[in-house]
Amino acid sequence: MHPISLERAGVCLRVLRSVWKFGASLVLSAACAGPGFARQPDAQALLAEMATAIQSLDYQGSFLYQHAGQIDTLRVVHAGGSRERERLVSLNGPRTEIIRNGPDVTFVQPDGSALIYPSNSGRGLLPLVPGTGARSLEANYRLTIVGTDRVAGYDADVVDVEARDSWRYGYRLWLDRNSRLLLRSMVLDSERRILEQFMFVALQIGPLPDETELIPSQRELLTTRSAQADDWVLQRKSEWVVTQPPPGFTFSSVRRSRQLAADAVEHLVYSDGLANISIYLEPSQGEILESATLNERGPLNILAVTRNEWRITAVGDVPATTLSAIVGSLRRDATPPPGDE
C-alpha cells in the first residue's frame, strides 16, 4: 500500500475509534483541598503509569465516545503482554470490528469484507490516549492532579494536562487509582472547550479475555485482502527542515520509503513530548498548481498541500494553525534538522 494511503488507513482507524463520547460533569473530592492532597503522586509519573497499564493489563468493557455531535457505543477486549491483542466492536449503527494482533490490524466492515495491514505506530484501540514521551512536559503543559472521581465503579484520580498556549490541545484524564488504567478522557481546546471525550460505563480489569473474544465474529465468512506497507528506512538526516516550528515542537525522526528515488516518500515527525505531527512528502506527479485542503475531525487535523511539484500531508492531534505553521516553514535544505547529529 502507498505510504500516504497507509496513513489514510490510520485515519480510518481514528474515525472508527470516533464512536465514543459521553458528556458528564466532573465531581471533585472535597478532601483534595486538604493538606494530604500534596502527597499525591507526581502527575507526569501517573501518565507514564497510564501508558504501561494500557499496554500490559488484561481488561474488557464498554464505553461511550462523543464526537462531532454524536454518541457511539463500543466494546473493547484487551490482552496485554509482549504481543498485545485487542478487539473493538461497535454496538450501535453499522457493525464494524477492529482486531489488533501485535502489529497486525484487521478492519471488518459491515458487508463482511476485511482489510489487514501492518501498523508500527504502537497505538492501541482506545481513543484519546495522549502520547507520553520520555522528556518533561512542563515547558508546554501544566500537569496537575485536580481531584478524585468515580468511573464505571472504579475510584479514579483526575489529572489535568493543560496546554500553556494555543499551539496544542489539553487533556483531562481519569486514571484508576489502583491499576492506573485510563477510564475516561477529554480533549480540550485553548478555551477549555471539550472537543471529544470517551468514558467507560462497564469495565473488568484483570481476568484474561476468552480467546473467542479476540478474533473476528463469523471469521469463516470474511473476505480478506492484505495491504502491504512500504518498508521505511530510518534516516540520519533529511533534506527537508521546518525552519520555524511552533514553540515546543522539535524534530523527532525521519524515515524514507524503500522505493525508487523519484517516487520515494519521506516521513518527518515533530513532537512536543505529548503531541506528534507527521509530515509526509512525495512528488506531486505532475501537479504544479498550488492547493491546500484541510480536514478537521475533532482534535485530529489533516492538512494536504501541493507546492512546487511536491505534495505535503501533515497529520496530528493539534490545532489547524499548528499544522499550517509547520507546513508554511517547511523548506528543502541539505542541513540536517535540529536534534539530528
Side-chain angles (χ1 to χ4, degrees), residues 253-265:
S253 66
V254 57
R255 285 176 167 80
R256 187 177 177 87
S257 63
R258 200 187 300 273
Q259 295 178 350
L260 295 176
D263 298 320
V265 178

Side-chain angles (χ1 to χ4, degrees), residues 11 40 64 103 113 118 121 127 154 180 185 189 199 204 221 223 237 263 265 287 299 313 317 327:
V11 170
Q40 292 291 326
L64 300 176
S113 63
S121 69
Y154 291 86
R180 296 310 183 194
S185 175
D189 66 12
M199 182 176 73
Q204 271 190 306
L221 302 179
T223 56
K237 63 180 181 179
D263 298 320
V265 178
E287 298 178 33
T313 304
D317 287 321
V327 172

Side-chain angles (χ1 to χ4, degrees), residues 183-200:
L183 305 175
R184 183 179 177 188
S185 175
M186 288 180 180
V187 180
L188 308 169
D189 66 12
S190 59
E191 297 181 8
R192 307 293 288 171
R193 293 174 300 196
I194 300 171
L195 299 178
E196 288 188 0
Q197 61 176 318
F198 97 92
M199 182 176 73
F200 275 105

Side-chain angles (χ1 to χ4, degrees), residues 115-132:
L115 173 65
I116 303 173
Y117 83 96
S119 172
N120 297 316
S121 69
R123 299 293 294 270
L125 300 184
L126 282 181
L128 311 185
V129 179
T132 51

Side-chain angles (χ1 to χ4, degrees), residues 56-61 75-80 154 203-211 213-214:
S56 63
L57 293 178
D58 301 323
Y59 52 88
Q60 50 194 306
R75 174 169 172 77
V76 65
V77 179
H78 181 275
Y154 291 86
L203 178 65
Q204 271 190 306
I205 302 174
L208 182 67
D210 189 274
E211 181 67 21
E213 291 271 20
L214 294 165

Side-chain angles (χ1 to χ4, degrees), residues 222-296:
L222 295 181
T223 56
T224 62
R225 60 190 180 91
S226 295
Q228 298 298 321
D230 293 310
D231 289 332
W232 290 88
V233 181
L234 186 65
Q235 302 287 299
R236 294 187 63 254
K237 63 180 181 179
S238 171
E239 291 184 353
W240 294 90
V241 61
V242 177
T243 57
Q244 293 181 309
F249 286 91
T250 59
F251 172 79
S252 178
S253 66
V254 57
R255 285 176 167 80
R256 187 177 177 87
S257 63
R258 200 187 300 273
Q259 295 178 350
L260 295 176
D263 298 320
V265 178
E266 282 198 356
H267 174 204
L268 300 176
V269 176
Y270 278 72
S271 176
D272 69 356
L274 189 71
N276 292 330
I277 300 173
S278 285
I279 310 163
Y280 292 90
L281 302 115
E282 61 178 333
S284 60
Q285 299 178 345
E287 298 178 33
I288 58 175
L289 295 177
E290 293 197 4
S291 64
T293 304
L294 176 67
N295 289 310
E296 299 180 81

Side-chain angles (χ1 to χ4, degrees), residues 59-132:
Y59 52 88
Q60 50 194 306
S62 301
F63 59 91
L64 300 176
Y65 183 45
Q66 183 186 355
H67 64 106
Q70 68 183 58
I71 298 175
D72 294 295
T73 312
L74 295 97
R75 174 169 172 77
V76 65
V77 179
H78 181 275
S82 57
R83 185 181 180 90
E84 285 183 83
R85 301 178 64 194
E86 58 185 331
R87 177 168 168 248
L88 186 68
V89 181
S90 61
L91 299 181
N92 65 314
R95 182 183 179 88
T96 55
E97 299 180 39
I98 307 173
I99 298 92
R100 185 165 73 97
N101 186 349
D104 300 322
V105 178
T106 302
F107 293 94
V108 181
Q109 301 300 319
D111 63 1
S113 63
L115 173 65
I116 303 173
Y117 83 96
S119 172
N120 297 316
S121 69
R123 299 293 294 270
L125 300 184
L126 282 181
L128 311 185
V129 179
T132 51

